[in-house]
């Protein structure tokens, strides 16, 4: 992790935010193999097992959609990802990773529910229906356009950040209908991220929480554009 990342992590911890919340989960798919990574895509940081990958309550179930067919695929915890065997030609994959409630009692605050989720699409130019009861980011079918949705309703004026593997990134704020548009200059994989906080209290894992913090990613491979600059060296988490 570089100096700026360390400084950011320290600042987050000083605010009582866990390192996990600074992370994201994202999906990568190729040749019948799907991997759900935990870390920071733009820094090529992937948390490992043994280590932070073991903090999740369970191995997430992968939702595989191919046309009108929906399958739920069980996976296993591998060294640097949750791994799945995915036969056929999925049009989209999605997963929500169960994380323990975050204890904030030292600050006299109720526990926080952190909900990291990820989606992968085979074609970012094809519209995808968002998941119900979740934070989601989906392509609309228009070139470079995506839509942020929470519990079925569009999220207006929310920040959506698009990352390329080289570390390139851009931020756009969603319009009133939840849509954002990006120009994608590089060939290769992209990961877009959106976050949302919900102050509604609830219960999860048999325990109460005071608010929920959501982060969701959308990953896809872009076939056009320029060749991507050299990727940063992979870094291992803890």
């Amino acid at each position: 992790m570089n100096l700026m990342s360390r400084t950011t992590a320290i600042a987050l911890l000083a605010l009582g935010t866990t390192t996990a919340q600074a992370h994201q989960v994202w999906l990568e798919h190729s040749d019948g193999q799907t991997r759900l990574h935990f870390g920071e895509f733009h820094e090529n940081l992937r948390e490992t097992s043994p280590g932070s990958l073991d903090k999740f309550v369970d191995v997430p179930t992968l939702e595989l959609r191919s046309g009108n067919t929906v399958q739920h695929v069980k996976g296993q915890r591998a060294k640097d990802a949750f791994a799945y065997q995915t036969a056929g030609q999925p049009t989209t994959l999605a997963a929500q990773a169960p994380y323990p409630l975050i204890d904030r009692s030292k600050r006299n605050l109720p526990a926080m529910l952190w909900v990291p989720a990820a989606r992968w699409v085979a074609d970012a130019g094809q519209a995808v229906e968002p998941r119900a009861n979740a934070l989601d980011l989906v392509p609309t079918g228009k070139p470079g356009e995506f839509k942020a949705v929470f519990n079925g309703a569009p999220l207006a004026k929310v920040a959506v950040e698009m990352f390329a593997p080289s570390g390139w990134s851009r931020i756009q704020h969603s319009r009133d209908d939840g849509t954002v548009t990006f120009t994608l200059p590089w060939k290769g994989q992209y990961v877009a991220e959106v976050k949302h906080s919900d102050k509604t209290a609830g219960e999860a894992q048999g325990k109460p929480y005071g608010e929920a913090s959501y982060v969701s990613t959308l990953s896809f491979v872009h076939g056009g554009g320029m060749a991507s600059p050299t990727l940063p060296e992979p870094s291992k988490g803890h």
Side-chain angles (χ1 to χ4, degrees), residues 14-80:
L15 291 170
T17 306
T18 69
T19 303
Q21 283 180 273
H23 281 8
Q24 59 193 193
V25 293
W26 73 94
L27 286 163
E28 296 183 3
H29 172 77
S30 179
D31 299 326
Q33 304 285 328
T34 301
R35 298 174 71 81
L36 179 67
H37 291 285
F38 174 50
E40 297 181 43
F41 173 77
H42 62 293
E43 293 191 356
N44 210 10
L45 170 65
R46 291 163 170 79
E47 298 290 358
T48 59
S49 176
S52 292
L53 196 63
D54 299 316
K55 292 182 178 180
F56 288 91
V57 174
D58 201 356
V59 176
T61 298
L62 184 70
E63 180 186 276
L64 185 156
R65 290 183 177 266
S66 182
N68 294 323
T69 303
V70 180
Q71 300 178 48
H72 292 93
V73 183
K74 298 293 185 181
Q76 61 182 3
R77 204 182 311 256
K79 183 178 180 180
D80 66 349

Side-chain angles (χ1 to χ4, degrees), residues 67-228:
N68 294 323
T69 303
V70 180
Q71 300 178 48
H72 292 93
V73 183
K74 298 293 185 181
Q76 61 182 3
R77 204 182 311 256
K79 183 178 180 180
D80 66 349
F82 297 107
Y84 307 83
Q85 298 287 333
T86 43
Q89 300 293 326
T91 53
T92 185
L93 303 162
Q96 185 169 291
Y99 198 82
L101 291 182
I102 296 170
D103 182 15
R104 303 186 298 173
S105 58
K106 290 183 179 179
R107 293 190 291 142
N108 294 318
L109 292 173
M112 174 182 282
L113 176 65
W114 184 58
V115 188
R119 178 182 291 282
W120 170 92
V121 293
D123 183 359
Q126 180 178 340
V128 170
E129 190 71 19
R131 300 179 81 189
N133 304 318
L135 175 64
D136 209 347
L137 185 64
V138 294
T140 66
K142 298 179 181 180
E145 187 178 85
F146 307 91
K147 186 172 185 176
V149 178
F150 181 64
N151 291 346
L155 277 178
K157 299 178 176 59
V158 67
V160 178
E161 188 162 11
M162 182 73 70
F163 300 101
S166 61
W168 173 96
S169 67
R170 292 292 185 273
I171 296 177
Q172 300 284 357
H173 286 80
S174 62
R175 298 178 277 267
D176 289 343
D177 63 354
T179 61
V180 291
T181 304
F182 288 92
T183 298
L184 306 174
W186 310 110
K187 185 181 297 185
Q189 179 167 297
Y190 286 82
V191 172
E193 179 187 77
V194 62
K195 296 179 180 180
H196 179 66
S197 293
D198 185 356
K199 303 298 184 181
T200 306
E203 184 175 308
Q205 303 162 22
K207 301 176 183 178
Y209 63 85
E211 62 180 290
S213 176
Y214 296 82
V215 57
S216 190
T217 63
L218 171 67
S219 54
F220 59 91
V221 175
H222 181 55
M226 301 177 288
S228 176

